[in-house]
Amino acid sequence: MNVLIVTGLSGAGKTRALQILEDMGYYCMDNISPKILLQLIHGEMQEEGFSKRLAVTMDIRSYGVPDGFDQIVDEMKKCSVSVRVLFLDCAEEVLLKRYKESRRLHPLMSGNRNVNLTDAIRQEICRMESLKVEADYVVDTSELSTSALREKLTDLFSGPDVAGMRIEFVAFGYKYGILADADLVFDVRCVANPYYVKGLREKTGEDKEVRDFVMGYEEARELFKRMVGYLEYAIPLYEKEGKAQLVVGLGCTGGQHRSVTFASLLRDYFGERYENVRLGMRDMRVNQRRIVGGGD
C-alpha cells in the first residue's frame, strides 16, 4: 500500500489537492487523525482488493497533528506501507487574503474570540513548522493556479515511481520573490546580465545566444564549476538521509536569462548522472512554475 499524507497550512489548498489526487486514482479521505489512519491501514490490509494508493489530509484540526505525527508514520512504515508526506505551504499575506475573500473562520479561531485572523495564521505556521521540515515534498501554493497545482501534483505523483531522489533545478526572479520551497538557493546576479545586450533582452536562457553570452565569461564558468562541486558532494548526503526531493533554486533579477541558463546547464549535467532530474522555470513568461522533463 502507498499512502500519501497531505498536510500543511489551512488555506494552502489541501482540499483542492485531494480532489486532484482523487482524479488521479487515489482513494481519498479528508481530515483524518494519524491514529485512525493507522487503524484503517491495519483493517484495509486484511481485506482482499484493498486500495493500493491512499491519500489523506491531516492538518491542525486533526487530533495528533503535529504532536505524535512522526511516531505514527514510523509505525506505518513498520507495516511495510510506503508513506510519503506532502506539505502545502503558503505566504502569510496570501493566506490572509484568501480567508478574507472566503469569509471563513480559521480553525484556530473557532471557539476562541481572543484570537484574530493574523494571530491564528502565525500560530499555525509556527506549530506546523516541524512537519514542514520533515516532509518529503514541500509545495508553495502562493502563486499557483488550480491548473498549475494539478500539473505539479500530476508530475509528482502520477505514473510509476522513479527510483532515487527527485532533483529539481528551478530558475526564478528575485523581483517576484525568493523561491519559497527551495532547499538550496544560488544567486547568479553576480554574473554579466544579457538583458542589457541588444538582441538578447527578448530571448531567454533557453536560447543558445543567451547561454553563450552568460557562459562566455570566466567568472560564470568558475561559478558553475563550484556549484557542481558542491552539489556532487551534497546530493549523496541528502540521499543518505532519505530525502525524497531536493529543490535547488537559481535566482537572477527577472528569472529569464541567467537563472534559466544555470538551471538548464545543471539539469543537463546532473541529468546524465541521476535518474530523476527536472528543470523548473517559475517566472518564465508567466508568474508560475513550469516543469519540464529531460529536454527543453
Side-chain angles (χ1 to χ4, degrees):
M1 176 182 280
N2 295 304
V3 176
L4 175 61
I5 299 175
V6 182
T7 186
L9 303 179
S10 302
K14 293 184 297 296
T15 300
R16 185 61 54 83
L18 204 64
Q19 293 169 346
I20 294 170
L21 290 167
E22 188 172 29
D23 292 341
M24 292 164 54
Y26 281 81
Y27 182 81
C28 298
M29 302 182 69
D30 189 22
N31 190 21
I32 186 170
S33 73
K35 288 187 177 180
I36 292 178
L37 174 60
L38 187 60
Q39 294 171 3
L40 172 68
I41 289 172
H42 281 305
E44 276 291 299
M45 292 180 70
Q46 309 303 319
E47 299 291 333
E48 251 185 71
F50 64 82
S51 178
K52 297 293 184 182
R53 299 201 299 175
L54 175 65
V56 300
T57 60
M58 295 181 186
D59 56 29
I60 203 71
R61 301 169 298 166
S62 306
Y63 180 77
V65 177
D67 300 328
F69 184 85
D70 290 342
Q71 181 181 352
I72 298 297
V73 170
D74 289 341
E75 288 186 38
M76 284 190 282
K77 290 180 179 178
K78 290 177 183 177
C79 298
S80 299
V81 174
S82 173
V83 183
R84 294 176 293 176
V85 179
L86 167 66
F87 189 99
L88 297 183
D89 198 13
C90 191
E92 179 183 326
E93 61 272 17
V94 176
L95 291 174
L96 190 63
K97 180 181 178 182
R98 288 177 182 176
Y99 268 101
K100 286 184 175 180
E101 288 176 348
S102 68
R103 299 185 180 181
R104 297 192 64 191
L105 281 180
H106 189 281
L108 294 183
M109 295 175 66
S110 300
N112 190 346
R113 297 182 178 179
N114 296 321
V115 177
N116 60 37
L117 179 56
T118 300
D119 290 340
I121 290 173
R122 289 176 179 174
Q123 286 180 28
E124 185 181 28
I125 290 173
C126 182
R127 289 170 59 177
M128 297 294 282
E129 180 65 23
S130 61
L131 265 68
K132 178 181 175 180
V133 171
E134 297 297 328
D136 298 299
Y137 306 93
V138 178
V139 174
D140 180 57
T141 67
S142 303
E143 301 292 340
L144 287 185
S145 64
T146 299
S147 60
L149 179 60
R150 180 179 295 275
E151 181 180 350
K152 178 68 175 175
L153 296 183
T154 300
D155 189 55
L156 283 173
F157 303 117
S158 69
D161 291 333
V162 180
M165 180 177 68
R166 173 192 174 96
I167 305 170
E168 187 177 333
F169 295 102
V170 183
F172 71 94
Y174 279 97
K175 67 187 291 184
Y176 302 114
I178 198 166
L179 188 66
D181 51 354
D183 299 292
L184 300 169
V185 173
F186 294 105
D187 187 342
V188 297
R189 290 175 293 181
C190 55
V191 301
N193 191 352
Y195 180 85
Y196 298 106
V197 178
K198 185 178 180 180
L200 297 183
R201 176 176 295 192
E202 300 304 320
K203 296 182 182 294
T204 74
E206 294 183 288
D207 295 306
K208 183 178 183 300
E209 300 93 325
V210 172
R211 288 195 191 188
D212 288 346
F213 174 86
V214 173
M215 303 310 294
Y217 289 84
E218 176 61 29
E219 296 88 348
R221 295 194 295 272
E222 182 64 24
L223 182 60
F224 179 78
K225 178 181 175 181
R226 296 191 181 212
M227 286 181 186
V228 167
Y230 173 79
L231 291 169
E232 284 183 329
Y233 181 79
I235 287 174
L237 300 181
Y238 283 112
E239 287 187 309
K240 185 178 179 181
E241 287 297 310
K243 192 168 180 61
Q245 174 180 239
L246 180 68
V247 178
V248 182
L250 289 303
C252 64
T253 303
Q256 306 287 318
H257 300 101
R258 293 167 290 180
S259 60
V260 175
T261 295
F262 274 82
S264 299
L265 291 174
L266 287 170
R267 186 280 312 273
D268 293 344
Y269 182 90
F270 286 98
E272 295 179 356
R273 291 156 177 80
Y274 292 91
E275 189 175 354
N276 195 4
V277 179
R278 296 287 190 275
L279 170 66
M281 291 172 281
R282 190 192 70 179
D283 302 314
M284 178 67 78
R285 300 186 181 92
V286 290
N287 190 22
Q288 66 183 38
R289 183 179 304 183
R290 183 165 68 89
I291 304 297
V292 296
D296 288 336

